[in-house]
Amino acid sequence: MTGPLVPPGPLTHGTELNAVYAIARIVAETFDTESGLDAVFRLAHTIFIFDVVALYLQSEESGGLEPTYARALGRGRAREADLTWGEPAAIEAFRTGQTILRQEDVGPSIEGRERRRDYLGLPLMVGGRCVGGLVFGRFGGPAFPAEHIRLAEFVAWHVGQLLENRRMASRIATLEAQRELARMQDEFVSTISHELRTPLGFIKGYVTTLLREETKWDAETRIEFLRIIDDEADRLSELIDNLLDSSRLETGRLSMTQEPTRIAALVRDAASRTRSMYPDIQLTIVVDDDLPLLLVDSTRIAQVLDNLLSNAHKYAPGAPVTVRATKEDKRISIEVADEGEGIPREHISHLFERFYRVPNNNRAVRGTGLGLYICRKIVEAHGGEIWVESAPGEGTTFLFTLPIAASLDHPELEAKHD
Ligand code: ATP
Ligand code: MG
């Protein structure tokens, strides 16, 4: 080392000790690497003099060092962006695992004392392994004295700890994400098994009963049992369809085939399906005459209506139900309103989540909590929105919108559902 010692200046032993403690505390408490580094170097700057500092870390792909952080805290602020200055010192410290000092004369393009550059390169250790180099640069001398080198080594060790914190934090986050995924998969499997077991249990029970040789069933009872088996088999296959749809929707693999569709006809078809399935339902249809053609997957939009109508029948038994389709400015709005018991406010925001069911009050009514989730995904895939308005005692209205594609706003176009 050459050059005169840096005068102690305003530094006292006390401020140095305080800064050293503060650095150690920041490292122990900070998980945000960038702001931790900023704070550490700001403090380091109060205990020894440097103009620039940069961090070079080994790249996982190339194995070489890449600049990852740099700050100019003294002279030469303009050089913050250009990071090649520290590279030779970083590489040497990284390769040898030793603290190294380099001195450079940048040539006559820079006038005066600042031609002289001193670089202090320090190996960065993380978890016992050298992962890069930290370089302090000082312009215009004097060289780094032994005492400053010792402080820089202290800072480098703490920077290594900061990086270790980051490595640990990201490992913890990965582990937590894996655990959460495993938990969700467990929950999914147990919900599904439970739901599949219910209809299967009925089917198995009634078939076993019918097969029992010691009992003779009269024709009427046999038919009743077979009807239950038939219904439960339908329920099972509907459940499997819903599960498949919902998993495809979740991963974006459910294909939609959009074609020009007359919404009025689609709504009337859904209504007649519902009437034949639930002959007791009091259903009113109100459809604007001048609804334009929509570009939609008609099977999927019919599925949305079927889901909403089956919910109205299940959760508002005996209450009048109205389906309304109206043209708004740039969209069509469709609502399914019932005059049933309504839904308590705390459940409203969860209704469209997968497997969500309002607890307790409808346990007698069977369902999986997939219907509204599927509705939401289908409507969103069409660029529309779906929501619910409900209050206990005031009935429930589900509304969804479908955008009107400009090019289709011509009734003379051929349409499906005529
Ligand atoms: P699935 O449709 O999968 O067979 P589900 O009907 O329980 O089962 P969703 O259609 O997603 O599932 O409905 C979620 C929950 O929202 C229902 O369990 C019910 O508690 C509540 N809900 C839905 N529609 C109404 C309604 N019209 N009135 C009152 N509550 C409703
Ligand atoms: Mg439902």
Side-chain angles (χ1 to χ4, degrees):
M1 277 182 319
T2 54
L5 276 179
V6 173
L11 285 185
T12 66
H13 194 65
T15 48
E16 188 174 300
L17 204 61
N18 283 343
V20 161
Y21 277 140
I23 288 175
R25 219 185 45 234
I26 285 166
V27 168
E29 290 169 358
T30 308
F31 277 87
D32 176 350
T33 315
E34 180 91 9
S35 69
L37 289 172
D38 283 348
V40 166
F41 293 130
R42 259 198 320 272
L43 283 161
H45 201 249
T46 66
I47 50 175
F48 71 97
I49 294 166
F50 59 90
D51 294 299
V52 283
V53 57
L55 196 66
Y56 301 79
L57 292 180
Q58 189 175 26
S59 132
E60 278 183 13
E61 288 113 54
S62 68
L65 290 193
E66 281 178 3
T68 40
Y69 173 95
R71 286 290 180 272
L73 292 151
R75 288 166 283 187
R77 277 186 180 276
R79 286 171 65 92
E80 187 174 354
D82 165 23
L83 287 168
T84 49
W85 54 265
E87 241 157 45
I91 291 170
E92 203 181 326
F94 172 65
R95 227 184 4 233
T96 59
Q98 307 281 326
T99 300
I100 63 110
L101 278 166
R102 289 174 70 95
Q103 205 182 78
E104 199 179 87
D105 182 340
V106 281
S109 62
I110 308 263
E111 283 186 12
R113 279 192 337 124
E114 293 203 14
R115 272 176 69 163
R116 178 186 163 162
R117 304 270 145 112
D118 284 276
Y119 296 121
L120 179 59
L122 304 128
L124 269 176
M125 307 300 290
V126 173
R129 211 168 64 82
C130 189
V131 298
L134 174 67
V135 182
F136 291 101
R138 182 185 278 185
F139 305 153
F144 290 99
E147 197 184 317
H148 287 192
I149 294 173
R150 198 175 48 77
L151 286 168
E153 282 169 345
F154 170 90
V155 172
W157 187 86
H158 280 84
V159 168
Q161 287 302 299
L162 257 181
L163 298 176
E164 175 71 359
N165 287 357
R166 177 169 70 174
R167 201 172 60 111
M168 293 302 282
S170 89
R171 269 196 26 210
I172 291 168
T174 314
L175 282 174
E176 272 174 4
Q178 282 168 350
R179 199 175 307 149
E180 175 64 9
L181 191 69
R183 192 192 61 73
M184 278 167 63
Q185 277 167 348
D186 266 7
E187 199 179 289
F188 188 72
V189 169
S190 81
T191 311
I192 290 174
S193 325
H194 176 79
E195 292 304 325
L196 295 177
R197 203 169 273 148
T198 314
L200 209 53
F202 278 108
I203 294 172
K204 172 74 182 157
Y206 282 99
V207 170
T208 307
T209 310
L210 283 173
L211 285 174
R212 212 177 281 148
E213 279 178 3
E214 67 276 13
T215 327
K216 287 267 165 287
W217 301 105
D218 58 56
E220 199 182 325
T221 313
R222 237 184 28 244
I223 294 288
E224 190 195 327
F225 287 1
L226 287 171
R227 200 161 281 139
I228 294 172
I229 293 168
D230 191 42
D231 284 352
E232 293 300 319
D234 284 348
R235 167 87 194 127
L236 202 54
S237 94
E238 183 196 337
L239 208 63
I240 290 169
D241 284 348
N242 277 350
L243 280 169
L244 281 176
D245 279 359
S246 88
S247 96
R248 290 192 189 119
L249 284 162
E250 188 80 343
T251 52
R253 283 180 294 118
L254 190 77
S255 62
M256 305 262 170
T257 325
Q258 307 204 332
E259 53 203 349
T261 304
R262 279 194 202 293
I263 290 299
L266 193 144
V267 169
R268 285 194 195 100
D269 284 357
S272 54
R273 268 196 308 279
T274 302
R275 284 194 185 105
S276 72
M277 204 151 24
Y278 317 117
D280 57 322
I281 200 166
Q282 299 178 52
L283 187 59
T284 313
I285 306 294
V286 185
V287 181
D288 279 1
D289 288 334
D290 59 341
L291 292 184
L293 280 179
L294 285 191
L295 192 59
V296 296
D297 184 322
S298 55
T299 316
R300 295 289 168 200
I301 297 301
Q303 191 180 352
V304 173
L305 277 169
D306 288 348
N307 267 321
L308 297 180
L309 284 164
S310 107
N311 279 354
H313 178 256
K314 281 202 285 191
Y315 304 110
V321 180
T322 309
V323 182
R324 255 189 209 92
T326 359
K327 181 173 181 291
E328 292 176 2
D329 189 18
K330 286 195 173 99
R331 57 188 203 176
I332 284 181
S333 142
I334 301 170
E335 63 172 71
V336 176
D338 67 56
E339 293 172 33
E341 285 177 12
I343 302 167
R345 182 143 44 126
E346 64 270 28
H347 301 293
I348 299 273
S349 63
H350 300 291
L351 288 184
F352 297 94
E353 290 167 11
R354 194 143 78 141
F355 299 124
Y356 193 85
R357 306 195 71 214
V358 175
N360 303 327
N361 61 351
N362 54 28
R363 276 299 159 217
V365 182
R366 289 166 63 187
T368 323
L370 284 174
L372 289 176
Y373 167 82
I374 293 173
C375 291
R376 169 167 68 87
K377 289 286 184 176
I378 292 174
V379 170
E380 286 174 359
H382 282 84
E385 284 175 282
I386 184 166
W387 69 99
V388 60
E389 289 166 5
S390 183
E394 289 175 20
T396 303
T397 304
F398 283 92
L399 297 107
F400 67 98
T401 59
L402 294 168
I404 299 170
S407 60
L408 277 174
D409 205 358
H410 299 291
E412 65 277 11
L413 275 175
E414 264 189 46
K416 219 185 148 186
H417 267 283
D418 263 335

